[in-house]
Amino acid sequence: MIVLSISFIVNALLLSLIVRAVIGGFFRRYAIFYFYLISVLSVSVFRLAVYTRQPDLYSHVYWSTEFVSLAVGYGIIWEIYTITLSDYPGARAMASSLIMGVFIVVVAKAFLTSTVDPSWFIASSVAELQRSLRIVQAFLLIAIIWLTTYYSIPVGRNLRGIIMGYGLTIGSALIFLSIRPHVAQLIPSLWQYLQPLTYLVSVFIWCATLWSYQPNPRPEAEFTMGRDYALLAQRTQRAIAGARESLLRVFFP
Amino acid sequence: MTISFLFALGGLAFLALLFLWVRRSASLSHEDKTFSGAHAPLAIGDRKEFSWLLADKIFSQEDLNFVSRQVSAVIRQEFVNGRRKIALLWLEQTRSGLDRLWSLYRKTARIHRTANLSVEFRIAATYLCFLLVCEIARILIWWSGPFAARNSVFRVMRTANRVADLSGRVLDGLDPLLLS
């Protein structure tokens, strides 16, 4: 009953978020994110229908539909990269190299594992596969976090909310998928409530940060003749200072 | 079990990192209006703090020898204490000067395709190295006095100038009119 109530609240909040974005006219700004919300909402309603009418099928449907949100989740990460780095070509070039690095590591890891154990992919459980895909998502988010920190790229409230909420979903999924086989049998009730509650927190974060549109701060783009002159003057000054220092070092080694 | 535990731990670490980032980025949500890419080369040009001559004078062993010959041990000690204060202040200024330069470099590099990944990593590694040697120098100055820390201070200077040269070399390749 509690799980159903949580699910109902989550769905109501997701719906209000989507409606709010449509009314506010910023649905298209974060199109993939809202597509994700729609897919989560649809899947949730579908699961609820299966749960009430065909409970035997629920587990199968649950794990199959988890891949839908996971796949759209990659789209969200792509959208985060696109919006965050749209005004920063230098950082974007660095991001391409980083993503390529993550991709190479993932492919190399999969290749090595399948070489050592050819039945690995078939033998992997759905949960294990999901966990692996979540790990890749986590690394991609870490890369964007590192880039924004390193280049001091300001992130707006909307985007910060998307990263925070989706990051929480990824992190908690990673923890749950890892400890589930061990904890679910020990404390089944806790396990039952913990994951929906965590997702509820994510939805609350999205509600708090995406209630209205707040664009990403843009870098200053101004250049004046005065600055041009200052630049030239400073460069000359620098050259003279360098020459003077070299000269002084000759006389006072 | 162990691998699952490690993955769970990784998930927790990821959440902690996310939390720290959110806290930090909330304070950075507005762009610094005073920044212009044109400031970066200016800052590189304006690096009086990295002068070898000044460092040589502050940490001069000759000064200590001269004072030691002329005055009593009490005054000598006062002289050392005074120099220690100046040395720490100088170190702090050198560090903040390079921090400023580093910050401006990154703010320029994010907009312009200045360097490739390897160069960027080299500059970042040199900067990290600078922070490390700076910390070592600070401990040495505080612990054994400015004159004993002379060598480590020159290491700080070398690393600082290396960061400035590396970043300067990258930024020098930019067309000033493109800096904005």
Side-chain angles (χ1 to χ4, degrees):
Chain A
M1 188 61 194
I2 296 174
V3 176
L4 275 177
S5 310
I6 294 171
S7 175
F8 179 77
I9 297 169
V10 165
N11 288 345
L13 288 174
L14 287 179
L15 190 65
S16 64
L17 267 171
I18 295 163
V19 170
R20 181 80 194 158
V22 172
I23 292 170
F26 54 95
F27 184 92
R28 283 189 177 192
R29 304 267 180 188
Y30 309 109
I32 300 176
F33 174 71
Y34 284 109
F35 176 69
Y36 164 80
L37 294 190
I38 291 169
S39 73
V40 169
L41 192 63
S42 317
V43 163
S44 180
V45 173
F46 177 62
R47 276 179 192 168
L48 200 65
V50 172
Y51 186 73
T52 48
R53 293 182 185 185
Q54 299 271 335
D56 304 341
L57 284 175
Y58 182 74
S59 176
H60 180 71
V61 168
Y62 176 85
W63 287 107
S64 313
T65 48
E66 271 291 284
F67 281 102
V68 176
S69 63
L70 193 59
V72 184
Y74 276 93
I76 294 181
I77 292 174
W78 184 76
E79 191 167 57
I80 290 170
Y81 269 92
T82 311
I83 298 172
T84 311
L85 306 176
S86 60
D87 293 319
Y88 305 94
R92 204 166 53 225
M94 203 54 68
S96 309
S97 309
L98 269 180
I99 292 170
M100 189 61 84
V102 171
F103 183 71
I104 288 169
V105 169
V106 169
V107 171
K109 163 85 172 65
F111 178 75
L112 280 176
T113 315
S114 59
T115 311
V116 174
D117 177 17
S119 62
W120 159 74
F121 190 78
I122 302 156
S124 295
S125 65
V126 177
E128 275 175 23
L129 192 62
Q130 264 212 39
R131 189 177 65 189
S132 303
L133 292 169
R134 290 288 186 198
I135 289 170
V136 176
Q137 284 189 331
F139 274 115
L140 290 172
L141 266 194
I142 288 171
I144 191 80
I145 284 173
W146 179 78
L147 278 168
T148 55
T149 310
Y150 181 79
Y151 287 113
S152 305
I153 294 173
V155 178
R157 188 181 165 85
N158 292 161
L159 213 55
R160 200 166 54 242
I162 294 175
I163 295 173
M164 196 163 52
Y166 196 64
L168 181 63
T169 308
I170 294 172
S172 56
L174 204 55
I175 296 167
F176 294 144
L177 289 165
S178 304
I179 61 169
R180 189 187 140 90
H182 314 288
V183 178
Q185 287 144 3
L186 294 174
I187 342 166
S189 55
L190 177 78
W191 170 253
Q192 204 182 358
Y193 303 130
L194 213 55
Q195 203 170 12
L197 274 174
T198 318
Y199 198 70
L200 183 65
V201 174
S202 289
V203 176
F204 273 133
I205 290 169
W206 289 328
C207 284
T209 52
L210 286 143
W211 204 245
S212 59
Y213 178 61
Q214 282 183 4
N216 246 19
R218 302 192 68 169
E220 281 289 287
E222 52 171 309
F223 197 81
T224 60
M225 285 301 286
R227 279 202 190 125
D228 248 351
Y229 177 76
L231 176 67
L232 194 65
Q234 281 284 346
R235 281 195 170 169
T236 311
Q237 210 175 1
R238 175 185 165 190
I240 293 169
R244 191 175 54 206
E245 191 157 321
S246 306
L247 201 63
L248 283 169
R249 285 186 78 179
V250 171
F251 289 111
F252 309 102
Chain B
M1 177 69 183
T2 318
I3 289 176
S4 297
F5 180 71
L6 283 176
F7 277 127
L9 219 58
L12 273 176
F14 173 72
L15 288 179
L17 178 78
L18 196 71
F19 176 71
L20 288 175
W21 175 80
V22 167
R23 276 189 61 182
R24 192 182 175 278
S25 71
S27 60
L28 272 177
S29 59
H30 297 291
E31 178 66 289
D32 180 11
K33 300 286 182 199
T34 58
F35 168 73
S36 160
H39 285 118
L42 298 183
I44 292 169
D46 181 31
R47 50 187 163 109
K48 282 177 281 205
E49 298 92 340
F50 308 152
S51 163
W52 288 90
L53 280 171
L54 184 64
D56 195 34
K57 207 68 203 156
I58 292 172
F59 298 91
S60 168
Q61 188 68 41
E62 282 173 20
D63 286 7
L64 179 69
N65 293 342
F66 177 77
V67 170
S68 301
R69 279 197 302 271
Q70 303 291 322
V71 293
S72 64
V74 182
I75 297 176
R76 182 187 178 278
Q77 190 54 45
E78 281 301 313
F79 173 74
V80 172
N81 288 343
R83 269 296 162 92
R84 181 184 282 126
K85 274 183 194 165
I86 293 169
L88 288 172
L89 202 64
W90 171 86
L91 193 70
E92 201 181 298
Q93 277 187 2
T94 303
R95 188 177 167 163
S96 67
L98 199 79
D99 280 349
R100 191 168 138 260
L101 168 69
W102 173 244
S103 161
L104 288 171
Y105 166 74
R106 282 178 296 131
K107 284 182 175 178
T108 308
R110 69 187 183 174
I111 299 169
H112 306 281
R113 291 172 185 232
T114 49
N116 56 35
L117 196 63
S118 64
V119 175
E120 195 76 36
F121 272 121
R122 225 172 86 199
I123 297 173
T126 316
Y127 177 71
L128 282 177
C129 190
F130 166 77
L131 292 182
L132 185 73
V133 291
C134 227
E135 241 356 84
I136 293 170
R138 196 178 64 81
I139 292 166
L140 278 174
I141 292 169
W142 183 77
W143 186 257
S144 46
F147 305 105
R150 194 177 155 83
N151 284 340
S152 70
V153 164
F154 284 141
R155 204 164 295 130
V156 170
M157 289 294 296
R158 266 196 300 275
T159 326
N161 281 311
R162 197 166 153 68
V163 175
D165 284 343
L166 278 170
S167 49
R169 218 177 297 162
V170 171
L171 294 173
D172 274 348
L174 291 174
D175 182 350
L177 289 174
L178 290 176
L179 292 168
S180 57

